[in-house]
Amino acid sequence: MIKFFRNILILCMLFVLAGAGCVFYAFKIEPYRLETNAYTLNEKQADTADIKIVQISDIHIKEDFTYKNLQKIVNKVNSQSPDIVLFTGDLYDNYATYNDDENVVNELQKIQAKYDKIAIWGNRDYGGGAARQYEAIMERSGFTLLKNGNWYVTLDNEKKILFTGLDDSLLGAPYMPDSTKIYDSDYDILLTHEPDVAEIYLDYNYDIILSGHSHGGQINIPFLPFLNEKAVAVTSLSTKYSGGMYSLGQNVQSKLYVNTGIGTTHISARFGVVPEIALFHIYL
């Protein structure tokens, strides 16, 4: 009997140690990791160029994730030798609580792209006074900031990519610009921070819609789907599409990619949702 209770005690201690290890990993290790997820969006044809587009999203700069953490992100992005870099919103977590514009701009300026760097607004780019600073921060950092606007990038081979950037769906006023697709383009990309609004824009026939916002719930524990669903539900307009690549509607060519982001919000933890940058190969 004594041996039985001793074994139970040892087992309990192992569970406690495992739990403590998971908590340590979730708060101190995974939020500071960074992986690259790569996708090929169309078939390579003869005489086409491989255009590399890198998407970053939801950095959520704050006291425990400062400009010093941006250095790793910048290096990771630049290591892909991107043609175009996209930022799909949420630069700071809460601008009123923590901001460091000069150092942030200095780091973001180091992101290199052959053709352009493009950004849109997220909900966190409005709150806490961020709305008064975000535009200047991104423009000083070398980004073209879109708010319900179109931006055409012409490649060396004269092919054109259309980027339509929408305002944030929670705190902004998104609408499709009147001049949408007024010019011919070879590939069309729609940028919207919140993913669950993507179906509204299916009739515009974009090749892909890129979003963020969800953080993939930040916590994704295997075999506990109800907890993962609750984690995703914390973030509005990201419960239907919470992370990864989706085919939309009846047209399998209409795709949505939900970037699970880099930073954290609500709690400074990630578990099973490693911070990511997304690399897209488009042959044009």
Side-chain angles (χ1 to χ4, degrees):
M1 184 63 70
I2 295 176
K3 184 177 180 180
F4 171 77
F5 283 112
R6 184 171 57 200
N7 290 337
I8 293 296
L9 179 60
I10 292 173
L11 186 61
C12 290
M13 291 178 63
L14 289 174
F15 275 120
V16 170
L17 289 173
C22 287
V23 171
F24 180 82
Y25 173 81
F27 280 89
K28 298 299 183 180
I29 297 179
E30 185 164 308
Y32 304 100
R33 296 178 57 197
L34 187 60
E35 65 181 14
T36 302
N37 295 317
Y39 302 86
T40 299
L41 298 183
N42 59 354
E43 293 184 6
K44 184 177 182 179
Q45 305 290 335
D47 300 323
T48 58
D50 178 9
I51 304 303
K52 293 186 289 185
I53 297 179
V54 167
Q55 180 200 12
I56 55 177
S57 194
D58 299 88
I59 298 174
H60 287 263
I61 295 168
K62 51 184 176 175
E63 293 92 338
D64 57 7
F65 199 88
T66 70
Y67 78 94
K68 295 179 181 178
N69 300 101
L70 281 178
Q71 297 171 1
K72 183 176 183 178
I73 299 167
V74 170
N75 292 338
K76 193 79 165 180
V77 170
N78 288 342
S79 70
Q80 310 303 319
S81 299
D83 294 294
I84 300 166
V85 173
L86 307 175
F87 176 59
T88 43
D90 281 6
L91 179 62
Y92 282 100
D93 188 56
N94 185 333
Y95 191 84
T97 301
Y98 178 88
N99 62 79
D100 187 6
D101 293 352
E102 291 305 315
N103 283 320
V104 168
V105 167
N106 184 55
E107 290 303 319
L108 292 179
Q109 286 176 339
K110 298 175 184 176
I111 294 178
Q112 300 173 2
K114 179 178 180 179
Y115 293 107
D116 212 343
K117 303 190 296 189
I118 301 169
I120 60 171
W121 291 72
N123 58 302
R124 298 287 176 148
D125 304 317
Y126 276 100
R132 295 190 294 271
Q133 306 297 331
Y134 181 62
E135 183 174 4
I137 291 169
M138 299 314 292
E139 289 182 351
R140 287 175 59 201
S141 301
F143 282 78
T144 299
L145 182 61
L146 300 179
K147 181 187 284 189
N148 303 322
N150 292 323
W151 190 254
Y152 289 84
V153 174
T154 302
L155 309 177
D156 288 344
N157 60 6
E158 301 302 319
K159 299 289 182 67
K160 289 184 172 61
I161 302 177
L162 165 65
F163 295 92
T164 300
L166 298 179
D167 198 2
D168 180 70
S169 294
L170 287 173
L171 299 180
Y175 61 85
M176 295 299 291
D178 293 336
S179 58
T180 295
K181 300 189 179 183
I182 194 170
Y183 302 111
D184 290 336
S185 53
D186 299 281
Y187 202 87
D188 301 332
I189 298 176
L190 177 66
L191 307 175
T192 178
H193 184 65
E194 288 84 6
D196 283 3
V197 304
E199 292 178 353
I200 298 173
Y201 306 105
L202 281 180
D203 289 343
Y204 290 90
N205 295 320
Y206 282 86
D207 293 290
I208 191 168
I209 302 171
L210 301 181
S211 68
H213 185 60
S214 72
H215 299 211
Q218 285 185 200
I219 306 297
N220 186 5
I221 301 175
F223 313 117
L224 295 176
F226 66 95
L227 287 180
N228 302 336
E229 290 171 5
K230 287 184 178 294
V232 169
V234 170
T235 306
S236 301
L237 295 181
S238 64
T239 56
K240 187 172 183 180
Y241 304 108
S242 59
M245 188 74 74
Y246 300 87
S247 294
L248 298 179
Q250 301 300 314
N251 182 1
V252 296
Q253 298 301 315
S254 295
K255 297 185 181 301
L256 165 68
Y257 187 76
V258 184
N259 190 305
T260 54
I262 291 171
T264 61
T265 192
H266 303 302
I267 61 171
S268 297
R270 281 179 176 256
F271 190 90
V273 191
V274 178
E276 74 158 325
I277 69 170
L279 170 63
F280 302 103
H281 295 272
I282 304 174
Y283 292 97
L284 294 175

